Amino acid sequence: MTGTIDYAELTDIKLDPLNPRLGRSINGKNLSQDEIYDRMKDWSLEELATSFLESGFWVHEAVLCVREELDGEQALVVVEGNRRIAALKRLAKTFDGEDTSKRWLEIIAGQTRPDKMFANVPIIVVGSREEIVSFLGFRHVTGIKEWAPPEKAQFIAKMIDDGGLSYRDVMRKIGSKTPTVQRNYIAFCILRQMDDIEDIVVKEVEDRFSVLFLSIRTSGVRKFLNLDPKFEVEPGEVYPPIPKDSIPNLVEFSKWLFGDQENSPVVSDSRQIDKFASVLASEDGLEYLRRVRKPSLDKAYVIAGGDQEEVYDLISTATVNLQEALTTIHFYKEDERLKSISKKMFSTALQIKETLGIE
């Protein structure tokens, strides 16, 4: 990325209609500047505005812009720094009496309109959006100013679909891991495919996109959706990710994971995804989910035999701990507390022996 710092009037700087933070459903939908501003003005801009009034808009906060056609004419469009510009615009509107929000009137109370700040906004004009793709990726996908999960995935998908990049190419540009890039892209393709399926509430999926992203790392989910083949091909061959004969499974998957107009999700927490995947991999677990009107994930997991591994782990851990204790326990033969704890252990062990029918 190259460019030198320049200055521009705030009124000459346009908000970006392609800003990923606007959301997938409206991104790039030819919104007017007023419509974009209305969507951005509640993006927690108060802290930025207060800082600008106290300390000014420093040169190191220069926003990145491109010159491109907007509404039929060449314009100076912010590519990086939209929140800062939106905060400045709302400040200006408040000083000019166009915004009468009580909170914002409090922010400017006793302040003189900072005309110089509005007239000399530091900017860096770059030749094209492509020049700063890597910078945006590092900053918002893997960096400290992270976008929300669906916004990250949308950015990655745009790099791949519009730029013809491979997963490895994107990894090099944004500093993420190749499997993470791949999973983001495939999850975003699933989200796009869901747009055309009437029985799926896509808004719920988009709001919990990170759950979708995490779920497709599990073999149970991949097999249920017949998704494994899409992890073996180049990104240009991914869409549509779910084959036609697996669409009914995708509808069920979405209902159980995200809920629909009549049902709450079976999976309420991302930490339950591995349990859910185990249920999907079990015929008995699936039969329970399909048969019961309001299924319980915990019950489905037990039916699927998923808790058996947990029992193995518990007993194995207990055995190792007892063996380790045995090496030094003789030093504490007279310890009454140790004797009390050991009695409980004996009682539990006898119950396990009886339950398992061990002679």
Side-chain angles (χ1 to χ4, degrees):
M1 182 181 72
T2 60
T4 57
I5 292 178
D6 202 348
Y7 295 87
E9 288 268 1
L10 177 62
T11 52
D12 292 336
I13 302 173
K14 307 300 181 184
L15 298 170
D16 186 10
L18 299 180
N19 183 356
R21 290 197 64 192
L22 290 173
R24 188 179 62 95
S25 61
I26 62 170
N27 186 268
K29 294 292 179 66
N30 297 319
L31 295 182
S32 69
Q33 285 293 296
D34 286 341
E35 289 172 321
I36 298 172
Y37 170 78
D38 285 341
R39 292 181 180 275
M40 294 184 64
K41 69 180 183 181
D42 295 322
W43 285 9
S44 302
L45 305 177
E46 294 89 347
E47 188 174 312
L48 284 173
T50 301
S51 173
F52 295 155
L53 286 177
E54 291 179 352
S55 307
F57 197 107
W58 292 92
V59 172
H60 72 269
E61 296 173 317
V63 298
L64 304 183
C65 301
V66 293
R67 296 191 185 278
E68 60 185 22
E69 187 172 310
L70 190 65
D71 298 328
E73 58 184 33
Q74 285 293 305
L76 191 63
V77 181
V78 185
V79 180
E80 166 60 21
N82 276 273
R83 277 188 72 238
R84 280 166 278 164
I85 295 303
L88 281 180
K89 287 181 179 289
R90 189 159 190 187
L91 264 183
K93 288 178 181 291
T94 305
F95 276 111
D96 295 342
E98 298 176 32
D99 190 317
T100 57
S101 160
K102 181 180 178 181
R103 174 70 180 118
W104 281 77
L105 289 175
E106 289 175 353
I107 289 174
I108 69 167
Q111 299 278 350
T112 301
R113 190 182 194 280
D115 294 329
K116 185 176 180 180
M117 183 168 67
F118 296 147
N120 295 281
V121 180
I123 64 172
I124 297 175
V125 180
V126 296
S128 68
R129 292 175 182 267
E130 288 69 27
E131 286 187 28
I132 55 174
V133 162
S134 297
F135 173 78
L136 293 177
F138 274 115
R139 186 172 175 82
H140 295 298
V141 178
T142 57
I144 60 173
K145 297 286 186 180
E146 290 191 14
W147 285 321
E151 295 160 7
K152 293 182 186 180
Q154 180 180 334
F155 181 79
I156 288 171
K158 186 174 179 62
M159 292 178 72
I160 290 172
D161 294 337
D162 293 356
L165 302 182
S166 68
Y167 296 132
R168 190 169 180 80
D169 291 335
V170 175
M171 176 273 291
R172 286 172 173 166
K173 284 183 175 291
I174 68 174
S176 185
K177 296 179 180 178
T178 303
T180 301
V181 171
Q182 181 185 47
R183 230 183 323 138
N184 264 295
Y185 182 69
I186 293 175
F188 191 76
C189 286
I190 294 173
L191 185 64
R192 286 174 49 208
Q193 188 174 10
M194 287 176 167
D195 284 333
D196 299 322
I197 302 174
E198 185 176 345
D199 295 326
I200 294 178
V201 183
V202 180
K203 173 95 170 44
E204 297 294 333
V205 183
E206 191 161 13
D207 287 346
R208 298 178 67 206
F209 182 83
S210 60
V211 176
L212 174 62
F213 169 77
L214 290 171
S215 73
I216 63 172
R217 83 186 193 286
T218 65
S219 61
V221 168
R222 289 189 190 184
K223 289 178 181 177
F224 184 70
L225 298 177
N226 196 11
L227 193 57
D228 272 324
K230 298 301 181 177
F231 281 84
E232 306 299 328
V233 298
E234 293 300 314
E237 301 175 60
V238 167
Y239 198 87
I242 310 300
K244 188 175 181 180
D245 59 0
S246 294
I247 294 300
N249 282 13
L250 180 61
V251 173
E252 290 180 321
F253 167 81
S254 176
K255 179 180 73 172
W256 295 327
L257 198 55
F258 305 104
D260 58 22
Q261 294 173 344
E262 298 178 358
N263 304 280
S264 298
V266 174
V267 180
S268 59
D269 191 297
S270 61
R271 290 171 293 185
Q272 299 174 325
I273 287 174
D274 288 340
K275 277 189 175 182
F276 179 57
S278 296
V279 173
L280 294 184
S282 160
E283 290 185 9
D284 291 337
L286 268 178
E287 193 274 333
Y288 167 78
L289 288 181
R290 288 168 171 160
R291 174 174 51 82
V292 177
R293 191 167 68 88
K294 291 187 176 181
S296 158
L297 179 61
D298 287 337
K299 188 168 183 178
Y301 187 62
V302 171
I303 291 172
D307 63 338
Q308 188 171 2
E309 288 297 328
E310 293 182 4
V311 173
Y312 290 154
D313 289 342
L314 289 170
I315 297 297
S316 296
T317 301
T319 301
V320 171
N321 288 340
L322 286 172
Q323 289 172 339
E324 185 175 347
L326 190 60
T327 62
T328 55
I329 198 170
H330 58 281
F331 292 120
Y332 314 105
K333 290 189 292 184
E334 305 304 320
D335 189 299
E336 293 300 322
R337 183 184 174 198
L338 183 57
K339 289 179 181 180
S340 176
I341 295 172
S342 297
K343 285 180 182 179
K344 293 179 182 178
M345 181 269 293
F346 285 133
S347 176
T348 303
L350 287 172
Q351 290 179 52
I352 292 174
K353 180 181 179 181
E354 183 178 339
T355 300
L356 297 179
I358 298 173
E359 297 297 333

